[in-house]
Amino acid sequence: MDPLILVPYLPRAERSPGPEDLGWRAMCQVLQEHQMCPRRKSLLRARVMDFITSTAILPLLLGCVGLFSLFKLLQWLRMRAYVRNAVVVITGATSGLGRECARVFHAAGARLVLCGRNAEALEELSQELAASRAPEVQTHKPCTVTFDLADPGAIAGAASEILQCFGHVDVLINNAGISYRGAIVDTSPDVDKRVMETNYFGPVALTKALLPAMIRRRQGHVVAISSIQGKISLPFRSAYAASKHATQAFFDCLRAEVEQHDIEVTVISPGYIHTNLSLNAVTADGSKYGVMDETTAQGRSPVQVAQDILAALGKKKKDVVLADPMPSLAVYLRTLAPGLFFRLMASRARKERKSKHS
């Protein structure tokens, strides 16, 4: 209560008020009560803090933190146990994300089948992993299978060789891929076909070749490394985005069809990763792009992405987006506000075209 409110109602005095006056006493009492308010608030805060830190609340808070930590530990142990001693096939294992996946899964105790086009690079990676040791688990010497995923005639023989390595396949990681940079109007159809062969038809053919063995065992996990561009399309990436859209659609269908056989299917859609993907991308005329894009250079570490992939498998996730908030937001923006999304993409295309001509 504000003491000044009482001033009009105090008795008028012809002389200065003193302690013996009733009005003076009332005024002093109100002022004293007003000064006590902050003290009461401080006392109340102190009592609340005492209650929070009392023997009833503090153990409860500590218990919640402990349960959460235990839950995260159990998740981590389950993730590691999921691939321990499992036969994991990784395509495109000689560089970039595939190479880091090989290291991460090897350290988790998986029995690896490393696939790629370069036999020498595969053998070098196999020896590197065989020489490394993980303190927590027993590791295994990887097996290598050399073939070109873009060659349809090589798939059946490669699948047979893969199955001979350890007798079966538990996890197939379709990682191999090629990127593209160019304008649609300038791009040869042969370039579109080349990108589709590597990014779509090759993984599809290998999956179909290994799938019957998984169905017979009623056990298996198929992983497709797609891209955020499998959900949204960026200008001057048409062939790449088309191949990743097709990948997303195929493996979504596969997941529904093989659920009855207890086979898991996971689609991983990373954003930009700091690898040589843009350096090795093909252009409109089929030549190598040979440029490290700024977005790629600033992308996520392939080690971190490989660890996220291992975690996603351990949790048996169906569809995982591993991208920064902005690309993830764009996925929802395309669905909720398609008009705005496509205007933004057209604006981006104009900026890229301008930068190329400047």
Side-chain angles (χ1 to χ4, degrees), residues 78-115:
R78 185 179 70 173
M79 171 191 75
R80 305 276 292 190
Y82 186 72
V83 298
R84 188 174 299 170
N85 297 320
V87 178
V88 179
V89 179
I90 303 175
T91 64
T94 56
S95 63
L97 180 59
R99 191 179 187 90
E100 295 306 330
C101 280
R103 289 170 175 159
V104 168
F105 279 79
H106 174 78
R111 292 182 286 175
L112 296 179
V113 181
L114 307 175
C115 303

mmCIF file of all heavy atoms in Angstrom, residues 78-115:
data_model
loop_
_atom_site.group_PDB
_atom_site.id
_atom_site.type_symbol
_atom_site.label_atom_id
_atom_site.label_comp_id
_atom_site.label_asym_id
_atom_site.label_seq_id
_atom_site.Cartn_x
_atom_site.Cartn_y
_atom_site.Cartn_z
ATOM 1 N N ARG A 78 23.011 -50.129 -26.633
ATOM 2 C CA ARG A 78 22.187 -50.846 -27.614
ATOM 3 C C ARG A 78 22.657 -50.557 -29.029
ATOM 4 O O ARG A 78 22.687 -51.447 -29.880
ATOM 5 C CB ARG A 78 20.723 -50.437 -27.447
ATOM 6 C CG ARG A 78 19.774 -51.233 -28.344
ATOM 7 C CD ARG A 78 18.344 -50.817 -28.148
ATOM 8 N NE ARG A 78 18.103 -49.488 -28.662
ATOM 9 C CZ ARG A 78 16.895 -48.918 -28.733
ATOM 10 N NH1 ARG A 78 15.846 -49.565 -28.290
ATOM 11 N NH2 ARG A 78 16.752 -47.704 -29.221
ATOM 12 N N MET A 79 23.033 -49.291 -29.277
ATOM 13 C CA MET A 79 23.528 -48.895 -30.592
ATOM 14 C C MET A 79 24.779 -49.696 -30.947
ATOM 15 O O MET A 79 24.910 -50.224 -32.053
ATOM 16 C CB MET A 79 23.837 -47.400 -30.584
ATOM 17 C CG MET A 79 24.545 -46.869 -31.804
ATOM 18 S SD MET A 79 25.141 -45.191 -31.531
ATOM 19 C CE MET A 79 26.553 -45.507 -30.459
ATOM 20 N N ARG A 80 25.716 -49.788 -29.987
ATOM 21 C CA ARG A 80 26.951 -50.524 -30.233
ATOM 22 C C ARG A 80 26.666 -52.026 -30.397
ATOM 23 O O ARG A 80 27.254 -52.685 -31.264
ATOM 24 C CB ARG A 80 27.932 -50.315 -29.083
ATOM 25 C CG ARG A 80 28.242 -48.873 -28.764
ATOM 26 C CD ARG A 80 29.318 -48.298 -29.621
ATOM 27 N NE ARG A 80 30.618 -48.877 -29.373
ATOM 28 C CZ ARG A 80 31.752 -48.403 -29.871
ATOM 29 N NH1 ARG A 80 31.706 -47.333 -30.652
ATOM 30 N NH2 ARG A 80 32.904 -48.972 -29.627
ATOM 31 N N ALA A 81 25.776 -52.549 -29.574
ATOM 32 C CA ALA A 81 25.478 -53.984 -29.620
ATOM 33 C C ALA A 81 24.779 -54.375 -30.919
ATOM 34 O O ALA A 81 24.908 -55.505 -31.392
ATOM 35 C CB ALA A 81 24.611 -54.376 -28.425
ATOM 36 N N TYR A 82 24.051 -53.416 -31.526
ATOM 37 C CA TYR A 82 23.278 -53.723 -32.722
ATOM 38 C C TYR A 82 24.178 -54.154 -33.881
ATOM 39 O O TYR A 82 23.791 -55.021 -34.681
ATOM 40 C CB TYR A 82 22.443 -52.505 -33.118
ATOM 41 C CG TYR A 82 21.487 -52.763 -34.264
ATOM 42 C CD1 TYR A 82 20.350 -53.539 -34.080
ATOM 43 C CD2 TYR A 82 21.726 -52.224 -35.524
ATOM 44 C CE1 TYR A 82 19.479 -53.776 -35.124
ATOM 45 C CE2 TYR A 82 20.856 -52.451 -36.578
ATOM 46 C CZ TYR A 82 19.734 -53.223 -36.372
ATOM 47 O OH TYR A 82 18.856 -53.465 -37.417
ATOM 48 N N VAL A 83 25.350 -53.550 -34.006
ATOM 49 C CA VAL A 83 26.236 -53.880 -35.127
ATOM 50 C C VAL A 83 27.432 -54.739 -34.706
ATOM 51 O O VAL A 83 28.234 -55.112 -35.552
ATOM 52 C CB VAL A 83 26.750 -52.596 -35.819
ATOM 53 C CG1 VAL A 83 25.589 -51.814 -36.406
ATOM 54 C CG2 VAL A 83 27.556 -51.736 -34.872
ATOM 55 N N ARG A 84 27.545 -55.043 -33.418
ATOM 56 C CA ARG A 84 28.671 -55.862 -32.983
ATOM 57 C C ARG A 84 28.566 -57.254 -33.604
ATOM 58 O O ARG A 84 27.549 -57.935 -33.469
ATOM 59 C CB ARG A 84 28.693 -55.959 -31.457
ATOM 60 C CG ARG A 84 29.927 -56.640 -30.898
ATOM 61 C CD ARG A 84 29.940 -56.565 -29.383
ATOM 62 N NE ARG A 84 29.969 -55.182 -28.929
ATOM 63 C CZ ARG A 84 29.797 -54.832 -27.657
ATOM 64 N NH1 ARG A 84 29.551 -55.737 -26.735
ATOM 65 N NH2 ARG A 84 29.843 -53.553 -27.327
ATOM 66 N N ASN A 85 29.604 -57.650 -34.304
ATOM 67 C CA ASN A 85 29.677 -58.941 -35.006
ATOM 68 C C ASN A 85 28.709 -59.040 -36.186
ATOM 69 O O ASN A 85 28.630 -60.092 -36.831
ATOM 70 C CB ASN A 85 29.433 -60.113 -34.047
ATOM 71 C CG ASN A 85 30.492 -60.200 -32.976
ATOM 72 O OD1 ASN A 85 31.685 -59.987 -33.240
ATOM 73 N ND2 ASN A 85 30.091 -60.501 -31.749
ATOM 74 N N ALA A 86 27.970 -57.985 -36.483
ATOM 75 C CA ALA A 86 27.067 -58.002 -37.641
ATOM 76 C C ALA A 86 27.865 -57.801 -38.930
ATOM 77 O O ALA A 86 28.873 -57.096 -38.948
ATOM 78 C CB ALA A 86 26.018 -56.901 -37.506
ATOM 79 N N VAL A 87 27.409 -58.424 -40.004
ATOM 80 C CA VAL A 87 28.048 -58.263 -41.315
ATOM 81 C C VAL A 87 27.477 -57.013 -41.966
ATOM 82 O O VAL A 87 26.286 -56.956 -42.295
ATOM 83 C CB VAL A 87 27.812 -59.502 -42.205
ATOM 84 C CG1 VAL A 87 28.448 -59.279 -43.576
ATOM 85 C CG2 VAL A 87 28.362 -60.755 -41.544
ATOM 86 N N VAL A 88 28.324 -56.005 -42.143
ATOM 87 C CA VAL A 88 27.890 -54.711 -42.673
ATOM 88 C C VAL A 88 28.584 -54.461 -44.010
ATOM 89 O O VAL A 88 29.816 -54.426 -44.085
ATOM 90 C CB VAL A 88 28.222 -53.573 -41.688
ATOM 91 C CG1 VAL A 88 27.795 -52.229 -42.268
ATOM 92 C CG2 VAL A 88 27.542 -53.810 -40.341
ATOM 93 N N VAL A 89 27.804 -54.281 -45.053
ATOM 94 C CA VAL A 89 28.314 -53.989 -46.395
ATOM 95 C C VAL A 89 28.229 -52.486 -46.625
ATOM 96 O O VAL A 89 27.172 -51.878 -46.433
ATOM 97 C CB VAL A 89 27.504 -54.738 -47.479
ATOM 98 C CG1 VAL A 89 28.030 -54.405 -48.864
ATOM 99 C CG2 VAL A 89 27.535 -56.238 -47.224
ATOM 100 N N ILE A 90 29.350 -51.879 -47.042
ATOM 101 C CA ILE A 90 29.387 -50.433 -47.300
ATOM 102 C C ILE A 90 29.875 -50.201 -48.724
ATOM 103 O O ILE A 90 30.997 -50.581 -49.067
ATOM 104 C CB ILE A 90 30.312 -49.699 -46.316
ATOM 105 C CG1 ILE A 90 29.885 -49.966 -44.867
ATOM 106 C CG2 ILE A 90 30.313 -48.196 -46.599
ATOM 107 C CD1 ILE A 90 30.832 -49.368 -43.831
ATOM 108 N N THR A 91 29.045 -49.601 -49.560
ATOM 109 C CA THR A 91 29.481 -49.252 -50.913
ATOM 110 C C THR A 91 30.101 -47.847 -50.892
ATOM 111 O O THR A 91 29.790 -47.028 -50.028
ATOM 112 C CB THR A 91 28.309 -49.282 -51.908
ATOM 113 O OG1 THR A 91 27.351 -48.275 -51.560
ATOM 114 C CG2 THR A 91 27.628 -50.652 -51.890
ATOM 115 N N GLY A 92 30.970 -47.591 -51.850
ATOM 116 C CA GLY A 92 31.657 -46.296 -51.882
ATOM 117 C C GLY A 92 32.512 -46.092 -50.646
ATOM 118 O O GLY A 92 32.581 -44.996 -50.090
ATOM 119 N N ALA A 93 33.210 -47.165 -50.235
ATOM 120 C CA ALA A 93 33.910 -47.152 -48.945
ATOM 121 C C ALA A 93 35.288 -46.502 -49.000
ATOM 122 O O ALA A 93 35.910 -46.329 -47.950
ATOM 123 C CB ALA A 93 34.044 -48.589 -48.425
ATOM 124 N N THR A 94 35.770 -46.152 -50.182
ATOM 125 C CA THR A 94 37.172 -45.708 -50.275
ATOM 126 C C THR A 94 37.382 -44.229 -49.978
ATOM 127 O O THR A 94 38.523 -43.790 -49.830
ATOM 128 C CB THR A 94 37.733 -46.018 -51.683
ATOM 129 O OG1 THR A 94 36.878 -45.405 -52.661
ATOM 130 C CG2 THR A 94 37.806 -47.509 -51.916
ATOM 131 N N SER A 95 36.314 -43.443 -49.887
ATOM 132 C CA SER A 95 36.506 -42.009 -49.645
ATOM 133 C C SER A 95 35.291 -41.412 -48.959
ATOM 134 O O SER A 95 34.217 -42.031 -48.903
ATOM 135 C CB SER A 95 36.768 -41.267 -50.964
ATOM 136 O OG SER A 95 35.636 -41.366 -51.813
ATOM 137 N N GLY A 96 35.467 -40.181 -48.462
ATOM 138 C CA GLY A 96 34.362 -39.408 -47.926
ATOM 139 C C GLY A 96 33.610 -40.086 -46.813
ATOM 140 O O GLY A 96 34.175 -40.680 -45.891
ATOM 141 N N LEU A 97 32.282 -40.001 -46.894
ATOM 142 C CA LEU A 97 31.418 -40.552 -45.854
ATOM 143 C C LEU A 97 31.558 -42.061 -45.743
ATOM 144 O O LEU A 97 31.530 -42.617 -44.633
ATOM 145 C CB LEU A 97 29.954 -40.174 -46.148
ATOM 146 C CG LEU A 97 28.920 -40.681 -45.143
ATOM 147 C CD1 LEU A 97 29.208 -40.164 -43.741
ATOM 148 C CD2 LEU A 97 27.515 -40.277 -45.587
ATOM 149 N N GLY A 98 31.722 -42.763 -46.878
ATOM 150 C CA GLY A 98 31.865 -44.220 -46.844
ATOM 151 C C GLY A 98 33.078 -44.658 -46.047
ATOM 152 O O GLY A 98 33.023 -45.622 -45.280
ATOM 153 N N ARG A 99 34.184 -43.951 -46.224
ATOM 154 C CA ARG A 99 35.416 -44.279 -45.494
ATOM 155 C C ARG A 99 35.226 -44.077 -43.986
ATOM 156 O O ARG A 99 35.660 -44.905 -43.182
ATOM 157 C CB ARG A 99 36.557 -43.409 -46.029
ATOM 158 C CG ARG A 99 37.939 -43.833 -45.535
ATOM 159 C CD ARG A 99 39.032 -42.942 -46.128
ATOM 160 N NE ARG A 99 40.362 -43.441 -45.797
ATOM 161 C CZ ARG A 99 41.062 -44.291 -46.520
ATOM 162 N NH1 ARG A 99 40.532 -44.753 -47.654
ATOM 163 N NH2 ARG A 99 42.260 -44.693 -46.151
ATOM 164 N N GLU A 100 34.568 -42.976 -43.602
ATOM 165 C CA GLU A 100 34.349 -42.714 -42.175
ATOM 166 C C GLU A 100 33.346 -43.705 -41.590
ATOM 167 O O GLU A 100 33.485 -44.107 -40.431
ATOM 168 C CB GLU A 100 33.862 -41.280 -41.972
ATOM 169 C CG GLU A 100 34.873 -40.221 -42.364
ATOM 170 C CD GLU A 100 36.221 -40.399 -41.681
ATOM 171 O OE1 GLU A 100 36.262 -40.914 -40.544
ATOM 172 O OE2 GLU A 100 37.246 -40.019 -42.278
ATOM 173 N N CYS A 101 32.355 -44.110 -42.376
ATOM 174 C CA CYS A 101 31.420 -45.150 -41.911
ATOM 175 C C CYS A 101 32.178 -46.448 -41.640
ATOM 176 O O CYS A 101 31.910 -47.142 -40.654
ATOM 177 C CB CYS A 101 30.329 -45.390 -42.947
ATOM 178 S SG CYS A 101 28.996 -44.167 -42.921
ATOM 179 N N ALA A 102 33.127 -46.774 -42.525
ATOM 180 C CA ALA A 102 33.927 -47.983 -42.337
ATOM 181 C C ALA A 102 34.681 -47.916 -41.011
ATOM 182 O O ALA A 102 34.721 -48.900 -40.250
ATOM 183 C CB ALA A 102 34.900 -48.148 -43.500
ATOM 184 N N ARG A 103 35.279 -46.780 -40.702
ATOM 185 C CA ARG A 103 36.034 -46.632 -39.447
ATOM 186 C C ARG A 103 35.122 -46.725 -38.228
ATOM 187 O O ARG A 103 35.446 -47.396 -37.237
ATOM 188 C CB ARG A 103 36.779 -45.292 -39.454
ATOM 189 C CG ARG A 103 37.950 -45.260 -40.430
ATOM 190 C CD ARG A 103 38.504 -43.869 -40.600
ATOM 191 N NE ARG A 103 39.698 -43.848 -41.452
ATOM 192 C CZ ARG A 103 40.154 -42.787 -42.082
ATOM 193 N NH1 ARG A 103 39.499 -41.637 -41.974
ATOM 194 N NH2 ARG A 103 41.245 -42.857 -42.820
ATOM 195 N N VAL A 104 33.984 -46.036 -38.288
ATOM 196 C CA VAL A 104 33.062 -46.016 -37.148
ATOM 197 C C VAL A 104 32.462 -47.401 -36.899
ATOM 198 O O VAL A 104 32.401 -47.868 -35.754
ATOM 199 C CB VAL A 104 31.956 -44.962 -37.383
ATOM 200 C CG1 VAL A 104 30.822 -45.125 -36.374
ATOM 201 C CG2 VAL A 104 32.535 -43.559 -37.306
ATOM 202 N N PHE A 105 32.029 -48.081 -37.952
ATOM 203 C CA PHE A 105 31.407 -49.399 -37.788
ATOM 204 C C PHE A 105 32.449 -50.455 -37.397
ATOM 205 O O PHE A 105 32.146 -51.385 -36.661
ATOM 206 C CB PHE A 105 30.670 -49.798 -39.067
ATOM 207 C CG PHE A 105 29.311 -49.172 -39.193
ATOM 208 C CD1 PHE A 105 29.173 -47.857 -39.607
ATOM 209 C CD2 PHE A 105 28.166 -49.887 -38.891
ATOM 210 C CE1 PHE A 105 27.933 -47.260 -39.717
ATOM 211 C CE2 PHE A 105 26.909 -49.309 -38.992
ATOM 212 C CZ PHE A 105 26.793 -47.987 -39.408
ATOM 213 N N HIS A 106 33.669 -50.308 -37.907
ATOM 214 C CA HIS A 106 34.738 -51.231 -37.510
ATOM 215 C C HIS A 106 35.018 -51.104 -36.018
ATOM 216 O O HIS A 106 35.148 -52.113 -35.311
ATOM 217 C CB HIS A 106 36.005 -50.938 -38.313
ATOM 218 C CG HIS A 106 37.192 -51.739 -37.881
ATOM 219 N ND1 HIS A 106 37.367 -53.076 -38.238
ATOM 220 C CD2 HIS A 106 38.267 -51.415 -37.110
ATOM 221 C CE1 HIS A 106 38.488 -53.522 -37.699
ATOM 222 N NE2 HIS A 106 39.052 -52.538 -37.015
ATOM 223 N N ALA A 107 35.091 -49.854 -35.523
ATOM 224 C CA ALA A 107 35.347 -49.616 -34.102
ATOM 225 C C ALA A 107 34.213 -50.144 -33.231
ATOM 226 O O ALA A 107 34.423 -50.451 -32.050
ATOM 227 C CB ALA A 107 35.554 -48.124 -33.849
ATOM 228 N N ALA A 108 33.006 -50.262 -33.804
ATOM 229 C CA ALA A 108 31.869 -50.796 -33.059
ATOM 230 C C ALA A 108 31.825 -52.317 -33.087
ATOM 231 O O ALA A 108 30.920 -52.925 -32.492
ATOM 232 C CB ALA A 108 30.567 -50.229 -33.625
ATOM 233 N N GLY A 109 32.769 -52.958 -33.782
ATOM 234 C CA GLY A 109 32.844 -54.418 -33.779
ATOM 235 C C GLY A 109 32.155 -55.110 -34.929
ATOM 236 O O GLY A 109 31.939 -56.331 -34.889
ATOM 237 N N ALA A 110 31.820 -54.364 -35.993
ATOM 238 C CA ALA A 110 31.143 -54.981 -37.136
ATOM 239 C C ALA A 110 32.131 -55.748 -38.006
ATOM 240 O O ALA A 110 33.323 -55.432 -38.047
ATOM 241 C CB ALA A 110 30.449 -53.909 -37.971
ATOM 242 N N ARG A 111 31.622 -56.732 -38.705
ATOM 243 C CA ARG A 111 32.401 -57.460 -39.716
ATOM 244 C C ARG A 111 32.085 -56.806 -41.067
ATOM 245 O O ARG A 111 30.983 -56.947 -41.581
ATOM 246 C CB ARG A 111 32.039 -58.940 -39.710
ATOM 247 C CG ARG A 111 32.483 -59.663 -38.445
ATOM 248 C CD ARG A 111 32.141 -61.139 -38.490
ATOM 249 N NE ARG A 111 30.723 -61.372 -38.307
ATOM 250 C CZ ARG A 111 30.131 -62.563 -38.387
ATOM 251 N NH1 ARG A 111 30.857 -63.632 -38.699
ATOM 252 N NH2 ARG A 111 28.839 -62.691 -38.188
ATOM 253 N N LEU A 112 33.061 -56.109 -41.602
ATOM 254 C CA LEU A 112 32.818 -55.247 -42.754
ATOM 255 C C LEU A 112 33.100 -55.931 -44.085
ATOM 256 O O LEU A 112 34.062 -56.697 -44.220
ATOM 257 C CB LEU A 112 33.676 -53.992 -42.657
ATOM 258 C CG LEU A 112 33.407 -53.048 -41.478
ATOM 259 C CD1 LEU A 112 34.372 -51.869 -41.521
ATOM 260 C CD2 LEU A 112 31.970 -52.547 -41.486
ATOM 261 N N VAL A 113 32.264 -55.583 -45.069
ATOM 262 C CA VAL A 113 32.532 -55.883 -46.475
ATOM 263 C C VAL A 113 32.615 -54.538 -47.168
ATOM 264 O O VAL A 113 31.607 -53.837 -47.333
ATOM 265 C CB VAL A 113 31.435 -56.753 -47.107
ATOM 266 C CG1 VAL A 113 31.792 -57.053 -48.563
ATOM 267 C CG2 VAL A 113 31.225 -58.038 -46.330
ATOM 268 N N LEU A 114 33.830 -54.153 -47.551
ATOM 269 C CA LEU A 114 34.072 -52.842 -48.153
ATOM 270 C C LEU A 114 34.006 -52.936 -49.669
ATOM 271 O O LEU A 114 34.704 -53.753 -50.270
ATOM 272 C CB LEU A 114 35.443 -52.310 -47.722
ATOM 273 C CG LEU A 114 35.690 -52.275 -46.209
ATOM 274 C CD1 LEU A 114 37.121 -51.846 -45.917
ATOM 275 C CD2 LEU A 114 34.699 -51.353 -45.519
ATOM 276 N N CYS A 115 33.186 -52.097 -50.278
ATOM 277 C CA CYS A 115 32.979 -52.156 -51.729
ATOM 278 C C CYS A 115 33.357 -50.833 -52.388
ATOM 279 O O CYS A 115 33.130 -49.757 -51.825
ATOM 280 C CB CYS A 115 31.511 -52.464 -52.049
ATOM 281 S SG CYS A 115 30.900 -53.990 -51.300
#
